[in-house]
Amino acid sequence: MTRIDIAPLTMFSPPGERTAPSPAEARGMRRDDVRLLVAHGDRVTHARFGDLADHLEPGDLVVVNASQTVAGELDAVLSGVGASTGDVVVHVATDLRDGTWVVEVRTAPDAAWAVLDAAAGQTLVLAAPGAELTLLEPYPRESSSPTGHGNRLWRASYAGQAALPDVLASLGRPIAYGYLDRRYPIEDYRTIFGTTPGSAEMPSAARPFTPDVVTRLVSRGIAIAPILLHTGVSSQEAGEAPQPEWFEVSEPAARLVNATRAGGGRVIAVGTTVTRALESAVRGAPGRAVVEASSGWTERVITRDAPPRVVDGLITGWHDPAASHLLLVEAVAGPRLTQRAYDAAVEAGYHWHEFGDSALLLPARAEALAA
């Protein structure tokens, strides 16, 4: 996997016990009861996600991801000639749309670690009749693990009586990484905007949205536009770039973004996925950039050195130190505002990861461009 030569400037301790152990509903709350830290200029405000509309303005546009999370984790047996064999967990990350899939092999039973010493030609035998994945080649290239040895991701072919999406639907479970207190059903990993199946992991920034939140936004003159980006696996090592992902920005969505900017409104991206998709559809020189209807594979990596051109604000969860997602947050919000937000979140005990609390980052333009 591609390395990133730039590192986040934001410094804070790893989340540890700050990680949310369960969905809000399992903790006796509604989805929109999670906390919302609003960072704007020199001010940090603590609120609830249900209050989101109070912190935006008429004429703003909230852009959401319409990708629906699939049950991408399966138990398997790794067989064939290789250093590792036996029981494993496989994460089905991406449909490459050419008859092959990107998969990640992880240790059984809880997917705690990536298996880096699998070999081309080995098979992952699934529980469905005749179903197996054959490892073809490292993805996207040989020795692409950020640890410096082995391969984390593979391109694999599939054979079986049932199609792989049907196997996932019947036998799969949501991808999880062991910091939760138990397993949760796929419904807990889906947002109200998810209409098109395809994300290996939840576009989690939109999880706290409820019909009540949407109604309050629209009633205040804040528009909502859907785009699409199917997420891959997010278990990157420090310094590892996100993998190529499929995105679609429709003509109506592009027109809404451009009209909002022309009218002086702000474009608020819900999550790193939306930011990546929108910025992959930007055309034109800085200062005259517009969004055009686009679709395809994006390898866009948004950093301080390659900042966004149309996204003005960000609704997001809380990311681990050194993660590529944190680089994107800094690129949108600016390093100073990002550090201010993370300091406040750590001090106030905000919850991290997919079932955790949220942030609304609204930088002034000068602050977003500051190094």
Side-chain angles (χ1 to χ4, degrees), residues 332-368:
V332 174
R336 287 195 292 268
L337 186 63
T338 303
Q339 186 68 66
R340 190 177 301 126
Y342 271 78
D343 287 344
V346 170
E347 181 179 1
Y350 275 62
H351 283 116
W352 253 244
H353 290 310
E354 69 266 35
F355 294 134
D357 295 314
S358 298
L360 169 62
L361 305 176
L362 297 171
R365 179 169 176 79
E367 182 167 14

Side-chain angles (χ1 to χ4, degrees), residues 29-107:
M29 303 187 297
R30 299 188 307 271
R31 286 194 178 203
D32 58 13
D33 278 336
V34 298
R35 301 173 74 183
L36 176 69
L37 185 148
V38 182
H40 189 189
D42 292 330
R43 294 182 289 112
V44 171
T45 303
H46 300 287
R48 295 287 171 182
F49 197 89
D51 303 323
L52 176 64
D54 297 337
H55 301 281
L56 297 176
E57 298 174 356
D60 287 344
L61 174 67
V62 174
V63 186
V64 301
N65 190 352
S67 182
Q68 185 186 85
T69 314
V70 300
E73 183 173 291
L74 292 164
D75 292 321
V77 177
L78 181 63
S79 63
V81 179
S84 291
T85 58
D87 292 341
V88 294
V89 173
V90 58
H91 288 171
V92 179
T94 306
D95 179 358
L96 290 176
R97 303 182 177 224
D98 64 356
T100 65
W101 299 75
V102 177
V103 301
E104 180 185 28
V105 184
R106 298 186 70 88
T107 56

